[in-house]
Amino acid sequence: SGDFGTGRPNYNYTLDPGGRLDDGLVIVNHGTTPLRLAVYAADGFTTEQGRLDLAAKDAKSTEVGAWVHTNRSDVRVPPGESVEVPFTVALPDSAAPGEYMGGIVTSPAQAGEADGIDGDRRLGIRIRLRVGGELKPALSVEDLHVRYSGTPSPFGTGDATVTYTIRNTGNAILTARQAVAVSGPFGRLGVHAAQIDDSPQLLPGDTWKVSVPVHGVAPVLRLAGTVTLVPLLTDASGSVAPLAAVESTTHAWTIPWALLLLLIALCGIVVAALVARRRRQTRFRERETSDR
């Protein structure tokens, strides 16, 4: 609690480049032995599991972790007591407009010193920072591929797998609502994938790899795989605004081998029948000639 609000689970700030503000956090020791904790600010990132994490102490931070400064690097909290740690958010004049995510982390100063806390365990409070200027939210689809698994039935359908990477190419934190479809030439025989979960929140520059199965796809020589993304922008109050959809399409060749072999066999039967007929006609004419 402070001048910026009460009972805040996380921090949300809006500052112009060159701006500065002062705030603080409170560390409470609910245990029965003293806690010695390192305190530091760090940049945020999205993990491969889709969760927000904060960079380790020895990792170099260039944004929130570099702009937030605590007034101490470690604290000692007696059992049953609390300690306030003031901090300052100071933006350089060169800070680019957009949204940033980071936080303030506490971790045991040395392994084994925290009561019941693993030496590698870190606790953090998130900071979402909006730097004044034009917000340009944007997503792109990269490395789009379609892979087809055929069927032994000449007239059956198979499965396609559509893989792609979502990249946040803008300067806003976004979630992507996704839809995938596979179709034949001229959009015929289109099949839509089952509902896909929204992507996790992606920070500017983050990527998220996706693989989507599509069932019941006919092998129609050339398939088109289409991915449609609707960027979802969430503001500090939690309101979600859908933005203009982004669409990307790729193509893949699918050879219906079973049908092709069936056609070859049928052609062979037809050719053999024509040859046999011609031979019969030739023998008939030869007999007529000999009879004369």
Side-chain angles (χ1 to χ4, degrees):
S1 300
D3 295 338
F4 296 96
T6 59
R8 294 172 293 165
N10 297 295
Y11 297 107
N12 286 282
Y13 303 120
T14 299
L15 275 177
D16 290 328
R20 175 189 173 98
L21 62 83
D22 296 312
D23 206 338
L25 62 88
V26 176
I27 301 172
V28 182
N29 183 356
H30 296 289
T32 57
T33 58
L35 287 177
R36 274 200 60 209
L37 301 173
V39 184
Y40 64 94
D43 287 348
F45 66 94
T46 303
T47 68
E48 292 182 355
Q49 293 73 37
R51 295 189 294 267
L52 176 71
D53 200 355
L54 298 173
K57 187 176 182 179
D58 56 357
K60 181 176 177 59
S61 292
T62 59
E63 296 168 349
V64 172
W67 303 335
V68 174
H69 308 276
T70 60
N71 78 333
R72 63 185 77 178
S73 59
D74 61 84
V75 295
R76 184 180 185 278
V77 189
E81 297 187 20
S82 62
V83 172
E84 183 174 1
V85 180
F87 64 86
T88 299
V89 183
L91 268 60
D93 295 334
S94 59
E99 292 184 316
Y100 299 84
M101 192 75 80
I104 298 176
V105 182
T106 64
S107 64
Q110 293 182 6
E113 288 197 13
D115 181 22
I117 298 180
D118 187 286
D120 292 331
R121 183 180 178 189
R122 300 178 302 143
L123 300 176
I125 187 165
R126 187 173 64 214
I127 297 175
R128 181 168 179 156
L129 176 62
R130 168 74 164 93
V131 177
E134 185 179 2
L135 201 62
K136 298 179 179 179
L139 294 176
S140 67
V141 179
E142 300 179 353
D143 300 325
L144 176 58
H145 299 283
V146 178
R147 187 176 69 253
Y148 183 74
S149 300
T151 170
S153 171
F155 303 102
T157 59
D159 296 330
T161 301
V162 181
T163 58
Y164 54 96
T165 298
I166 304 172
R167 181 180 295 276
N168 186 341
T169 56
N171 63 355
I173 300 172
L174 295 172
T175 300
R177 182 163 295 159
Q178 310 170 72
V180 171
V182 175
S183 62
F186 310 107
R188 300 293 182 89
L189 302 175
V191 180
H192 292 269
Q195 183 174 351
I196 310 168
D197 292 336
D198 294 346
S199 76
Q201 279 194 334
L202 299 177
L203 309 185
D206 273 358
T207 59
W208 181 249
K209 294 183 178 181
V210 185
S211 180
V212 179
V214 184
H215 306 292
V217 179
V220 287
L221 292 180
R222 187 166 170 81
L223 291 177
T226 301
V227 175
T228 304
L229 303 180
V230 176
L232 303 176
L233 180 64
T234 304
D235 62 20
S237 67
S239 298
V240 179
L243 307 178
V246 176
E247 187 173 281
S248 184
T249 300
T250 191
H251 296 85
W253 290 100
T254 60
I255 307 299
W257 292 110
L259 183 58
L260 204 57
L261 291 174
L262 178 61
L263 291 175
I264 292 173
L266 290 175
C267 289
I269 293 172
V270 171
V271 170
L274 292 174
V275 170
R277 181 182 177 185
R278 180 169 295 180
R279 286 177 178 174
R280 287 195 301 270
Q281 290 175 343
T282 301
R283 287 197 297 267
F284 179 76
R285 285 195 297 268
E286 289 175 350
R287 284 198 298 268
E288 284 187 337
T289 302
S290 62
D291 290 343
R292 292 173 184 174

